[in-house]
Amino acid sequence: MQQPLEPPGQQPPGSGAGKAAEDDGGGGKGSADSNAMSGNPYAGLVSHLRAAWLSGKTRPMEYRVAQLEALGRFLDEKKQDILEATALDMGKPQFEAEFSEILLCKNELHETLNNLSQWMKDEQVDRNLVTRLDSAFIRKDPYGVVLIIAPWNYPIHLILVPLIGAIAAGNCVVTKPSEKTTNTERLVAEVLPNYLDKDCFAVVTAGVQETTRLLENKFDYIFYTGSPSVGRIVMAAAAKHLTPVTLELGGKNPCYVSDTCDVQNVARRVAWGRFFNAGQTCVAPDYVLCSAEMQEKLLPALRKTITEFFGPNPQESPDFARIVGDRHFQRVQALLRSGRVAIGGETDAEARYIAPTVLVDLQPSDPIMQEEIFGPILPIVIVANVDEAIDFINSRERPLVVYAFSSDDKVVNQVLERTSSGGFCGNDTLMHVMLTSLPFGGIGSSGLGMYHGRFTFDAFTHHRGCLHRGMGREALNALRYPPYSQQKLGIVRAASEVKRKGSCTLL
């Protein structure tokens, strides 16, 4: 869900698919060949995958299903390895890892397998009088060779969920896991290719410099999850080849808490969303907006909740994760200087531990209010009422999600109707992400495009408009040929125009 690519490691660029990147597999055209001549280390790999895609190998439904089922076996057979790798990389509790990295991935996989045959079908569309005897439909074509660049905070989930959709849509895929979570990267690079067709799917390990070279190649689609700053770099690289992109970025997700709500329930739901994965979640509530009166009620409720969740010393809890690396620890620790610590605030650099923390007495100009926190810190900002909260939200970049808590549905709906964000969740946090039936994605600086369930299949699919006409009935076509006349125009207009049926009514 977030965070930029890290500085490159020492590992050489390569493909976990067993095909050396330097080998020219043939079949590539245009930019791929020019990159090969200029010594791009990934040009041969991309050409090899493109040749496989052009062969039509990935198009049959049976092939796609077989590869998707192989992903299911990977999740089942390597479940313990995944749990151990994520624990080593960032102290991810087993419950959180199994929930976010295994269960949600399998939900996406099963949703896709259950519906793939229907999603792949040609979609028949309405026809006018001129084309009434013809076939008009939308063909679901794969894009070709696609690139998926994943982040470190959910290193399995954010590779596999887009990969499921890319495979389901019939593409060949290059995936690049984050180099920051070294144990998970190694697992993905060494093990995942053993489950997939090496001619069509590859895993590349790369840091910033190598990824820059990877992006020089022509891909047919790029799916990137990370920070807005790197998203701009990815989009600029894609623009050189006019390659479409999905950018899953982040932002400062506001959480408005009204004066009318069950305070203890709010505390539990907000604390769970903020401190899950030690706050390293792109859809975590980034700050709370509430009145001074609600803050006085919320602070003791949050204090009680944190103790219930993690005990008197959260550092000893097996259910609280750690910051992913030293640089991120230092960045998050520096944010503690904003405002005043009301709860928590303890840190341990050696263990990369930052306690579940609540900050108060904040100003909108404070550093913690200027960047996505991506750590276990919850700032509370005082507002007079819901109108002021909405104005505060609308004065900033549009977030990935807006949260609103109130016992009054009218207040929740007011926040929904008067704000703009990638998603919305009323009276809870994070839970909207669980639904494969809902699109997930940002808007503005929080992202471009959407996925999950059917939306992932659609993201990696070119919807090809098709009209198939018969060779006969040429007398009917003669009406559109020169020499033109007003009589011909009248007949063509009557046969082809779309008429307004009546006024538009919202039910």
Side-chain angles (χ1 to χ4, degrees), residues 323-338:
I323 303 301
V324 69
D326 293 337
R327 188 170 68 85
H328 288 281
F329 172 86
Q330 293 162 8
R331 181 189 62 81
V332 177
Q333 185 182 44
L335 296 177
L336 290 170
R337 303 189 190 110
S338 298

Side-chain angles (χ1 to χ4, degrees), residues 14-36:
S15 163
K19 178 71 181 175
E22 290 78 11
D23 291 346
D24 186 352
K29 299 293 182 184
S31 296
D33 287 342
S34 64
N35 282 326

